[in-house]
Amino acid sequence: MYERIDGTRWRHIWIVGDLHGCHPQLMGALRDRQFDPYQDLLICVGDLIDRGPQSLQCLRLLNKKWFKTVRGNHEQMAIDAVRYGDTAMWQLNGGRWFAELSHAEQQQALEALHTCAALPYILELRCDNGINVIAHADYPSEEYQWDKAVDRESVLWRRDRLNQLLSGKGGKISGADHFWFGHTPLKQRYDAYNLHYIDTGAVFGGALTLVQVQ
């Protein structure tokens, strides 16, 4: 469920919001930032796939040494669809791209989804700005602890904390310096206390947010 990353292994580290198949936008953003795949690291808050036109290309990022991601709810929907043979929910939520692939491309996608089934729900990154916790939707506890048991569905789907913050309620999560989430498309990055929400709706015409943490 958890994975640790030692930031000292990389020169610069960036965290990016939900990709949703927006591969060209990501590549352009990395070029603009002079991202070096031999020295730098990119971490995604999940949802590589669905809704956007380049979901397979985003899945191929899993093979890159410079790329890490947590699992998002869209990866989980795809994993469940393949595992249980019921694709209705996945297709309704942007998964129709899979049926449009060639047979060879479908096999590539299935292999990548098999890899997704081993993705962590939570990444702990220790780097120049302290301890960073990356999860898709939420860390469902008021205190972070390494390897602490938390509800997996909440990590992938929960919006309660963000809704509270947007209404002027809530507070920080203790135990780490920064928490990075996606899942909910916003017009712009939202920061409250030590919580950062960086899905800015790239697939809906918004910006693709990248944040440099080292």
Side-chain angles (χ1 to χ4, degrees), residues 104-130:
E105 288 173 331
Q106 286 187 351
Q107 293 308 304
Q108 291 178 34
L110 289 171
E111 289 177 13
L113 291 174
H114 182 73
T115 300
C116 287
L119 286 175
Y121 286 77
I122 298 157
L123 282 172
E124 180 190 292
L125 166 68
R126 292 174 180 253
C127 64
D128 287 354
N129 73 339

Side-chain angles (χ1 to χ4, degrees), residues 29-199:
L30 294 179
R31 282 194 298 272
D32 290 345
R33 290 158 177 80
Q34 299 181 322
F35 183 89
D36 184 344
Y38 297 100
Q39 300 185 78
D40 300 337
L41 177 67
L42 179 69
I43 301 172
C44 182
V45 296
D47 280 4
L48 307 184
I49 60 171
D50 297 347
R51 299 195 175 120
Q54 304 274 336
S55 288
L56 179 57
Q57 286 83 346
C58 285
L59 282 175
R60 288 172 179 156
L61 294 170
L62 295 169
N63 297 321
K64 305 296 185 182
K65 292 183 178 180
W66 50 266
F67 183 80
K68 295 276 190 180
T69 188
V70 293
R71 85 172 68 193
N73 64 306
H74 280 262
E75 281 81 49
Q76 192 62 54
M77 279 190 286
I79 292 165
D80 291 343
V82 171
R83 183 176 292 161
Y84 302 115
D86 183 359
T87 63
M89 183 176 179
W90 183 29
Q91 289 186 355
L92 284 172
N93 286 277
R96 296 184 185 276
W97 60 272
F98 181 81
E100 298 171 359
L101 299 177
S102 69
H103 178 72
E105 288 173 331
Q106 286 187 351
Q107 293 308 304
Q108 291 178 34
L110 289 171
E111 289 177 13
L113 291 174
H114 182 73
T115 300
C116 287
L119 286 175
Y121 286 77
I122 298 157
L123 282 172
E124 180 190 292
L125 166 68
R126 292 174 180 253
C127 64
D128 287 354
N129 73 339
I131 300 174
N132 294 265
V133 175
I134 300 102
H136 183 58
D138 189 33
Y139 185 78
S141 175
E142 301 311 308
E143 180 182 9
Y144 171 76
Q145 292 178 356
W146 167 255
D147 218 18
K148 182 177 185 177
V150 292
D151 180 64
R152 296 177 183 228
E153 289 293 305
S154 295
V155 174
L156 297 181
W157 290 93
R158 179 178 168 181
R159 290 191 169 101
D160 299 11
R161 187 189 305 278
L162 174 58
N163 289 335
Q164 284 188 341
L165 292 169
L166 290 171
S167 66
K169 302 175 183 177
K172 68 180 293 184
I173 302 174
S174 64
D177 297 293
H178 299 279
F179 292 82
W180 302 92
F181 304 117
H183 186 51
T184 302
L186 303 167
K187 290 185 178 179
Q188 60 188 13
R189 166 181 165 175
Y190 179 70
D191 304 281
Y193 306 98
N194 61 342
L195 313 176
H196 313 285
Y197 295 85
I198 61 170
D199 177 10

Side-chain angles (χ1 to χ4, degrees), residues 7-22:
T8 62
R9 295 175 54 196
W10 287 274
R11 180 189 65 163
H12 299 317
I13 301 174
W14 299 82
I15 302 176
V16 65
D18 300 31
L19 293 179
H20 281 303
C22 295

